[in-house]
Amino acid sequence: MRFLGLNISREKAAGQLSAPSGRGGWWPLIKESFTGAWQKNVEIKLDSVLSFHAVFACQTLIASDVAKLRVKLVEQDSAGIWSETKRAAYSPVLRKPNTFQNRIQFFESWVLSKLQSGNVYILKQRDGRGVVVKMYVLDPNRVKPLVAENGEVFYDLNADHLSELKDPVIVPAREIIHDRFNCFFHPLVGLSPIFANGLASTQGLSIQNNSAKFFGNNSQPGGILTAPGEIGKDTAERLKAHWEANYTGDNVGKVAVLGDGLKYEAMAVKAVDAQLIEQLKWTAEVVCSTYHVPPYKIGIGAQPTYNNVQALNTEYYSQCLQVLIESIELCLDEGLATGENLGTEFDVENLLRMDSVTQMQVLKEGAGILMVDEMRAKLDKKPTPGGDAVYLQQQNYSLAALAKRDAQPDPFNKTAPAPAAPEAPANDNAEAARALLTMMKGLA
C-alpha cells in the first residue's frame, strides 16, 4: 500500500515489529484502579467515570483553557530574542489544522485525548514539497505503537474516516506526532489520570445513584415488615410484593392498613450518618488532585478572594497547564520540523491576565524598560507618535555617568588633596589665570 509517499505493507511489517510490553501493558488493557481490583470485582468503566462531574469538569476546564490560547510562530534573532513571525510553510496549518476543525477544536481534542487515554496521536498529511499541510487527532483506541528489532518506532493505524485513512496501515514515527502523559510502565505508553481517580469517581457515582434512588422514593428509606409470629415463605413474598407495589415509588405517602400485628420499620442508614455530602466532596477533591486542578476552579470548596487573581492563575498555570502547553509546543516543533531558530509558542498572556488596577501598576513600573507602544499594545491600543522609544525621567543617570562622577574629587571635602594647579597659560591672560586659581583655593 502507498500512503504518505511510502510503500508500506502491513503483513510484511507485522512480523518484524512488536508492541511495547511492561508492567501496565498496552493502555486499553489497564483496567485496575489498584492492584488486585479485578479479583475483588471492582470494575472501573471509562464511560461511567467520564460522566462523574469532577472528571468532566477538570478535563473540559483544562482542555478549554489550553485551546483558547493563540498559537504563535516565533523566530529567534541574533540576540537570542524570540519574536512572532510568519512563514507561509507553517502558519496555515497552525491557523487551520484540517478541513473540519478550527484551531480551538483541534487543540481541545488534543488535550482531551491526552487526559482521557494518556496518549495523543496526530497524523500528518504532507503536500508535494513534503510540508505538513493538515493534522488529524486520531482515536487512541485505533492506534498502537510498534518497536522494530533495531529500535525504530512505527505506528499501527486502523481505519479512521475523519482523517481520510480508509485502510489499516503501519507508518513510521516521523508521520505521527505522539504526545503522551505519565509514562509509568513504558516510554511509548502514556497513562491517564483516570488510572488514579477511577475508584474515587466510581464511589462518587455510587453515592449519587443511591441519592437519586432515595429521593426517587420521596425521601423514604427502605424498611422491613415484621410479624409477631412465624409466617411462611409464600406469605412473606406476597406481603413484600403487595407493599412494594402499593407503598413505594410514586405511591409513597398512601395510607397503609396493617393487620395481624404487622409492623413497618425503616431500615436504611441516614444520609447524615453516612456523611454522604462529605464523602461526595472527598471523591471530587481526589479527582482534582490527580489533574492538579485547584478544587475551587470547578466549584468545590470555598472560593478564594479576588484580590490575588494573578497569583491564583499563576499557581494554576504552573502546577497544571504549563507541562501540557510546553509539551504541545515541543511536539509541534518536532512534528513540523521547524528547526532550531523557529518554533511555536502559545500566547499565555491572556491566561495570566491581571486585574485592571494591578495591570496598570505593572505597566507604570515598566517605564524605562518597555516602549510606550509596547505598553499600549498590552491594552489593545494602537501605536502613538513618539511611542517607539523608551522614556526615563531626567534625574535618572546611566551607570557609566555615575561612575565618572564618583571618580572626581569631592570639592567639599577639605581633607582631600587639592587638585594640581594648572599650568600657567603662555599668553597675556596668565595673571587672570593665577587670580582664578587663588579664588578656587579660597572656596575650598
Side-chain angles (χ1 to χ4, degrees), residues 6 8 153-155 170-176:
L6 303 169
I8 302 175
V153 178
F154 295 81
Y155 289 89
I170 294 178
V171 300
R174 64 177 176 271
E175 302 304 331
I176 295 290

Side-chain angles (χ1 to χ4, degrees), residues 54-281:
V55 174
F56 184 90
C58 285
Q59 290 192 0
T60 53
L61 173 69
I62 295 172
S64 60
D65 281 343
V66 174
K68 69 185 181 183
L69 304 178
R70 186 174 66 91
V71 183
K72 302 183 296 183
L73 189 66
V74 293
E75 187 173 13
Q76 188 179 33
D77 59 20
S78 58
I81 305 300
W82 292 88
S83 56
E84 187 172 2
T85 185
K86 292 184 179 180
R87 294 289 185 92
Y90 303 107
S91 297
V93 74
L94 293 177
R95 292 193 303 269
K96 182 71 174 175
N98 52 58
T99 56
F100 58 89
Q101 284 181 312
N102 57 33
R103 172 183 57 82
I104 291 181
Q105 294 165 344
F106 175 78
F107 285 108
E108 192 173 33
S109 298
W110 182 316
V111 178
L112 285 175
S113 177
K114 188 172 183 177
L115 296 178
Q116 291 177 7
S117 68
N119 296 272
V120 185
Y121 303 99
I122 309 296
L123 177 63
K124 295 183 284 187
Q125 181 176 336
R126 304 177 185 271
D127 60 8
R129 303 168 297 168
V131 176
V132 178
V133 293
K134 291 182 182 180
M135 296 185 292
Y136 302 94
V137 180
L138 301 178
D139 183 355
N141 292 300
R142 298 174 176 268
V143 184
K144 182 185 295 184
L146 303 173
V147 182
E149 295 179 355
N150 61 358
E152 293 187 25
V153 178
F154 295 81
Y155 289 89
D156 187 359
L157 311 182
N158 287 301
D160 191 328
H161 297 288
L162 289 180
S163 64
E164 302 178 5
L165 183 63
K166 307 303 181 183
D167 300 307
V169 66
I170 294 178
V171 300
R174 64 177 176 271
E175 302 304 331
I176 295 290
I177 298 176
H178 185 189
D179 189 9
R180 51 258 195 196
F181 201 32
N182 302 323
C183 299
F184 280 19
F185 308 121
H186 193 280
L188 288 176
V189 180
L191 202 60
S192 168
I194 295 176
F195 180 81
N197 64 42
L199 186 61
S201 301
T202 303
Q203 179 183 353
L205 288 171
S206 298
I207 293 174
Q208 291 179 325
N209 289 333
N210 290 337
S211 179
K213 291 180 181 178
F214 176 74
F215 287 102
N217 197 35
N218 286 351
S219 304
Q220 294 290 332
I224 58 175
L225 286 171
T226 59
E230 182 178 357
I231 59 176
K233 181 178 180 181
D234 294 340
T235 303
E237 292 179 351
R238 177 176 56 81
L239 290 174
K240 178 184 177 182
H242 176 75
W243 186 269
E244 290 179 346
N246 293 278
Y247 306 109
T248 61
D250 294 336
N251 295 321
V252 169
K254 290 186 176 181
V255 178
V257 179
L258 304 178
D260 298 331
L262 291 176
K263 184 179 179 181
Y264 176 79
E265 296 179 359
M267 189 187 68
V269 179
K270 297 180 180 179
V272 175
D273 297 333
Q275 296 182 327
L276 293 184
I277 296 178
E278 290 79 3
Q279 286 289 323
L280 186 60
K281 180 180 178 182

